[in-house]
Amino acid sequence: ILNNLKNHYVTSFCWCIFLHSFLFLLVTMSDWKDPDNVPDPQINGESYRNPTEVKMSQIVLPCHANHCGELSVGQLLKWMDSTACLSAERHAGCSCITASVDDIHFEHTIGVGKVVNIIAKVNRAFTSSMEVGILVTCEDLYTDKQWKVCHAFATFVARRTEAGKVQLKQVMPHTQMEQMEYSLAAERRRMRLIHAEIITDLLSKCQEYEDAVPAERTRVESVELVLPPHANHQVSTFGGQIMAWMENVATIAACRLCNAHPTLRTIDMFHFRGPSHIGDRLVLKAIVNNAFKHSMEVGVCAEAYQGGEPLRHINSAFMTFEVLDSDRKPRTLPRIRPEPVDGKRRYQEAVARKKIRLDRKYIMSCKQTQVPLSVPWDQSNQMYLSYNNVSALKLMDARNNWVLTSEKNKVRLYTSEENQMLCFKVEMHVSVPAEQTFHLLSDLRRRKEWDQHYEECELINQADEEDTLYRVTTPSASKWGKGMEFILLASRRKPCDARDPYLIALRSVTLPTHPPTEDYTRGEVLCAGFTIWEESSSVTKITYYNQATPGVLPYISTDIAGLSSSFYSAFSACSHFLEANKDSLVALPLSTLQLDSTTTASTQEE
């Protein structure tokens, strides 16, 4: 009788936790904090302010406005660049120049009489470059209301001094938000470096349309003489001024297609290729690359010359415009007929960039309440799914509200409830080098050697060295239920420096080649994975994270309630597995083994 009562109590308790957390999932699925609602952090009883933070407030005057009485985007870019540059120089202690500005999406326009508030601070410094986060809000002085306009990330490079190349000091994050941005900055840097490769991969998949308006009709070319008022304190042309001139010619090109005044919605990355100075003639060129149903992409570039010297490429960007009707809704636009060769290439690239923008908006910009747990995976959105996967794990790792639930055999179980979302983590130490631990845990096919919840694991696709797709099956959590099936994206990251961990991030995706089957219940993983910290050459701290979902809860609810110790058994087995294989070559990545065998073969031939 006592055993039956105990089993009934455990089953009822599991279902209570399951239903409770499922209701949480329906209410909200977002871990992101609204920066406007986060109170000022306290350090040693005093209000803390980031030492690199710079604030600028400007009232919008008629001289700053366009034909619609709204703040010109070019003027806003000037203010943003100035604020970010001052923040970068405050950290570097020397002059800095704008290297690039990531994609910017303008959520609202700003009218005359409103106040623009800009906050910039350095998120992370690398060797000689640093990422600066920029937040722009608008304030209505009559109602005291504020709203977000845009959020951008700019990369600045410290200028060489007489002593040589500048070695930047590291940023020391003090708050949870700063730690989060510090960690994500490395992932954003990785995306910048491979962005061009994604465009190249997509070109062959672009479809052409028959269009009526010749693209040459929209071509604009203008020249500007760089005068002292256009220069910054380093006697170089102010980056914000160049961006403002580029926005001006891009707007004219867009007007020529639609014969109306367009509204700038998005700017793809500005990338500065070289400096410009006082006395330069700056040649600005713009053309509509492609027009879609409700938007158009305008390509714009800036080149400089002095005297009879050849043109120097300074900057290039891609701007997306819409034309709004009287109800502020996007109008339908005419199609573009590209010119041969270069025009056709620009036309195809515009389609590829639009695909990337849609993927990015769907995967990264939307809150998790707006998208399903699993999102479709394909080669074109791999970069953004991988970014989302790793970023979600880094956000969970940055939390500071973990509560120790229980501890057994030096394995600690923590829980955290934030935004009505239940998460848990398991922490332990092993006497195995961090890199070896990383390679052993990266291959999910070996997880069934220590985790009883893994029944089978099939490698579906090795997308690249960092991203792999797996199909995982698990036994049923009850006697009468079906087993569960997960399609998982595993994203691996090695540390950028000693202050970063090794990462193995897991999340569910959908694949047309692997639809749900009748034999298994399709489960979902929103965020899970390992962080692996090197504490010494032979001691490693492993932390496993999981954001509870209905598919995961039945396996862990009794452990969280203290009614079972299966997780402790699993991670004790994991510790034994790692220590038994710490000298195994199987742990090395496949590419490393191939490289070693190739090197050996070539040595033998010599």
Side-chain angles (χ1 to χ4, degrees):
I1 293 172
L2 288 174
N3 286 334
N4 288 336
L5 286 173
K6 180 181 177 182
N7 291 335
H8 176 73
Y9 171 76
V10 170
T11 304
S12 302
F13 188 83
C14 292
W15 276 107
C16 285
I17 294 179
F18 177 90
L19 293 173
H20 180 63
S21 299
F22 182 67
L23 289 174
F24 285 163
L25 289 168
L26 295 178
V27 175
T28 177
M29 298 294 289
S30 177
D31 280 337
W32 292 88
K33 296 182 185 295
D34 182 353
D36 299 332
N37 296 328
V38 178
D40 292 337
Q42 300 285 320
I43 294 182
N44 297 328
E46 298 181 0
S47 181
Y48 165 75
R49 181 172 176 178
N50 188 303
T52 68
E53 184 179 289
V54 173
K55 296 182 178 181
M56 176 186 286
S57 294
Q58 297 278 358
I59 191 165
V60 180
L61 302 175
C63 62
H64 302 138
N66 57 22
H67 60 283
C68 297
E70 297 169 344
L71 174 63
S72 163
V73 173
Q75 182 62 58
L76 178 58
L77 291 171
K78 284 187 192 179
W79 290 339
M80 291 169 65
D81 188 59
S82 296
T83 312
C85 183
L86 294 174
S87 173
E89 291 183 345
R90 178 176 285 184
H91 177 74
C94 63
S95 298
C96 296
I97 56 175
T98 313
S100 66
V101 181
D102 286 4
D103 304 350
I104 307 173
H105 177 70
F106 299 99
E107 299 179 17
H108 300 281
T109 56
I110 305 172
V112 172
K114 300 294 191 296
V115 172
V116 178
N117 296 309
I118 304 173
I119 301 176
K121 57 185 178 182
V122 177
N123 291 330
R124 182 163 183 164
F126 300 97
T127 306
S128 59
S129 66
M130 68 203 95
E131 180 192 273
V132 181
I134 311 165
L135 176 66
V136 180
T137 59
C138 182
E139 178 183 356
D140 190 326
L141 295 175
Y142 295 99
T143 62
D144 286 335
K145 291 183 178 179
Q146 292 196 38
W147 56 92
K148 177 182 169 184
V149 175
C150 66
H151 193 192
F153 300 97
T155 302
F156 283 81
V157 176
R159 292 179 71 105
R160 297 177 68 95
T161 63
E162 294 180 356
K165 191 174 182 179
V166 175
Q167 177 76 36
L168 293 173
K169 61 184 178 182
Q170 289 295 318
V171 172
M172 302 297 292
H174 289 90
T175 67
Q176 181 180 354
M177 188 64 69
E178 288 180 2
Q179 179 60 50
M180 184 177 68
E181 291 294 352
Y182 175 90
S183 184
L184 293 177
E187 194 65 17
R188 285 189 289 263
R189 182 171 185 253
R190 174 182 171 273
M191 289 180 63
R192 293 181 198 114
L193 296 176
I194 64 175
H195 183 268
E197 299 175 11
I198 301 299
I199 295 290
T200 303
D201 291 341
L202 286 176
L203 286 181
S204 59
K205 303 176 184 178
C206 295
Q207 180 181 358
E208 295 185 30
Y209 297 90
E210 290 295 331
D211 303 303
V213 179
E216 281 299 311
R217 186 184 300 176
T218 68
R219 186 180 294 277
V220 179
E221 184 170 323
S222 179
V223 64
E224 297 282 353
L225 176 62
V226 180
L227 301 173
H230 303 140
N232 56 23
H233 53 293
Q234 305 160 29
V235 201
S236 296
T237 312
F238 180 40
Q241 179 64 69
I242 296 175
M243 289 189 281
W245 283 333
M246 294 172 70
E247 186 268 340
N248 179 59
V249 295
T251 302
I252 296 172
C255 286
R256 289 182 175 174
L257 174 69
C258 58
N259 298 322
H261 292 293
T263 299
L264 180 58
R265 285 302 186 199
T266 304
I267 301 177
D268 279 18
M269 182 185 294
F270 283 107
H271 190 91
F272 286 89
R273 309 284 181 177
S276 170
H277 307 284
I278 294 174
D280 277 349
R281 279 69 170 171
L282 214 62
V283 180
L284 302 139
K285 301 175 183 178
I287 190 170
V288 176
N289 291 331
N290 205 336
F292 307 98
K293 185 174 182 181
H294 294 129
S295 65
M296 71 185 94
E297 183 195 273
V298 179
V300 56
C301 72
E303 299 173 319
Y305 71 94
Q306 280 197 13
E309 68 178 22
L311 290 172
R312 309 188 311 273
H313 187 189
I314 302 298
N315 198 348
S316 58
F318 303 96
M319 304 185 183
T320 303
F321 289 86
E322 292 177 347
V323 179
L324 305 180
D325 59 20
S326 56
D327 296 326
R328 305 293 293 176
K329 293 182 179 179
R331 278 173 35 184
T332 301
L333 300 175
R335 290 287 189 176
I336 279 287
R337 183 173 69 247
E339 296 298 309
V341 192
D342 284 346
K344 185 176 179 181
R345 174 185 56 79
R346 291 193 299 266
Y347 180 91
Q348 291 179 321
E349 288 177 348
V351 179
R353 280 187 291 270
K354 180 177 174 65
K355 171 71 167 63
I356 286 178
R357 282 192 292 270
L358 291 174
D359 287 340
R360 183 171 57 236
K361 182 178 180 181
Y362 182 72
I363 296 166
M364 293 164 51
S365 302
C366 295
K367 292 185 177 181
Q368 291 167 340
T369 49
Q370 299 171 309
V371 295
L373 300 189
S374 288
V375 293
W377 182 93
D378 62 51
Q379 198 69 37
S380 65
N381 69 5
Q382 175 192 333
M383 178 173 69
Y384 302 105
L385 271 176
S386 183
Y387 171 87
N388 175 276
N389 194 13
V390 173
S391 299
L393 182 61
K394 288 185 173 184
L395 290 172
M396 200 182 299
D397 182 53
R399 289 187 178 188
N400 55 13
N401 60 344
W402 294 100
V403 177
L404 179 62
T405 302
S406 56
E407 181 176 359
K408 183 178 180 181
N409 299 329
K410 296 183 180 180
V411 177
R412 292 171 291 280
L413 176 64
Y414 297 81
T415 58
S416 168
E417 192 171 330
E418 186 174 297
N419 293 331
Q420 299 181 326
M421 176 62 67
L422 177 66
C423 302
F424 69 92
K425 72 174 182 178
V426 181
E427 194 175 88
M428 67 177 183
H429 288 78
V430 294
S431 298
V432 181
E435 186 174 9
Q436 184 78 345
T437 301
F438 171 67
H439 292 315
L440 283 166
L441 295 179
S442 291
D443 189 353
L444 295 191
R445 292 171 298 181
R446 302 200 64 182
R447 185 160 168 176
K448 63 182 180 180
E449 296 181 34
W450 58 268
D451 189 349
Q452 72 270 25
H453 295 120
Y454 268 53
E455 193 172 60
E456 292 294 336
C457 182
E458 169 196 354
L459 192 153
I460 300 174
N461 183 10
Q462 180 80 47
D464 56 31
E465 191 176 342
E466 295 183 326
D467 294 310
T468 309
L469 293 164
Y470 294 95
R471 175 183 174 270
V472 175
T473 60
T474 62
S476 173
S478 64
K479 292 182 179 179
W480 303 278
K482 293 190 293 186
M484 299 201 74
E485 176 189 51
F486 300 84
I487 305 298
L488 298 179
L489 169 66
S491 302
R492 310 162 6 126
R493 296 290 187 274
K494 291 184 178 181
C496 289
D497 54 46
R499 297 173 63 192
D500 286 324
Y502 291 89
L503 286 169
I504 306 167
L506 306 170
R507 69 155 297 152
S508 287
V509 295
T510 57
L511 291 172
T513 56
H514 288 74
T517 62
E518 294 182 357
D519 297 334
Y520 292 94
T521 301
R522 178 59 61 91
E524 306 278 2
V525 173
L526 182 60
C527 175
F530 295 90
T531 62
I532 301 166
W533 292 91
E534 182 179 24
E535 297 201 343
S536 71
S537 59
S538 59
V539 177
T540 299
K541 183 176 83 170
I542 303 173
T543 307
Y544 173 76
Y545 294 91
N546 202 308
Q547 188 165 329
T549 60
V552 174
L553 269 169
Y555 297 95
I556 54 95
S557 54
T558 53
D559 288 87
I560 293 175
L563 302 174
S564 171
S565 59
S566 63
F567 251 65
Y568 298 104
S569 301
F571 280 88
S572 293
C574 177
S575 177
H576 294 313
F577 163 76
L578 293 172
E579 292 181 6
N581 291 276
K582 64 181 179 180
D583 298 321
S584 172
L585 287 177
V586 179
L588 293 174
L590 181 60
S591 57
T592 305
L593 292 174
Q594 290 173 339
L595 179 63
D596 290 344
S597 61
T598 303
T599 305
T600 304
S602 61
T603 304
Q604 290 174 348
E605 288 176 4
E606 291 175 0

